[in-house]
Structures are given as structure tokens and as C-alpha cells.
């Protein structure tokens, strides 16, 4: 068996593990999407939804400074 065949054999299990883990995550997400509204009252479900939004909006919290640094730091150097 050549070195290339050994590399091909070792990649397939890694890809299978990665894809199966991804499918498990998607399946559990689907299950929790139906169970969470059943377990939480409307008030708590709304709070849960608001708390899930916070990480999405934190990516904009820098207020444009990252973009400005990309252009202005090389200018002033």
C-alpha cells in the first residue's frame, strides 16, 4: 500500500465522524425546536428568544472601529 492510499483511508473516517456529528446536532436542534415552546410559557419563551439574539448583535458592538482600524492604522504607520 502506498503512502497516498494510507492518507485516503485515514480521511474517510474523519469525514464520516464530522458529518455524523453535524447531523446529530441538526436533529437535536429540530427536536428542541419543538420541545422548547411546549415547556416554556410565552413570557419565558420570549425572554429566551431575546437572550438568543444578544450574541448575534454583539458582532456589531465594535461600532465600525475594526473596519476603520483596517484602513487607518496602515495609513498612519
Amino acid at each position: 500500500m502506498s503512502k497516498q492510499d494510507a492518507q485516503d483511508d485515514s480521511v474517510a473516517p474523519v469525514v464520516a465522524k464530522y458529518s455524523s456529528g453535524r447531523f446529530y446536532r441538526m436533529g437535536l436542534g429540530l427536536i428542541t425546536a419543538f420541545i422548547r415552546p411546549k415547556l416554556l410559557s410565552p413570557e419565558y419563551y420570549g425572554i429566551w428568544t431575546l437572550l438568543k439574539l444578544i450574541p448575534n448583535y454583539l458582532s456589531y458592538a465594535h461600532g465600525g472601529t475594526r473596519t476603520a482600524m483596517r484602513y487607518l492604522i496602515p495609513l498612519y504607520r
Side-chain angles (χ1 to χ4, degrees):
M1 189 179 271
S2 69
K3 196 175 205 178
Q4 182 65 22
D5 292 335
Q7 285 180 340
D8 291 339
D9 291 338
S10 65
V11 172
V14 173
V15 171
K17 285 179 186 178
Y18 174 72
S19 61
S20 67
R22 197 165 174 208
F23 288 132
Y24 286 138
R25 189 187 74 191
M26 288 173 26
L28 287 174
L30 185 64
I31 290 169
T32 57
F34 287 108
I35 291 176
R36 189 176 295 128
K38 302 278 185 201
L39 295 176
L40 295 174
S41 65
E43 301 88 21
Y44 290 133
Y45 189 71
I47 291 172
W48 175 259
T49 305
L50 286 174
L51 289 174
K52 279 179 50 176
L53 283 176
I54 291 172
N56 292 333
Y57 284 110
L58 282 177
S59 64
Y60 302 110
H62 60 84
T65 56
R66 291 182 190 160
T67 309
M69 284 191 316
R70 185 179 327 149
Y71 296 110
L72 294 178
I73 286 178
L75 176 72
Y76 291 119
R77 262 196 184 178

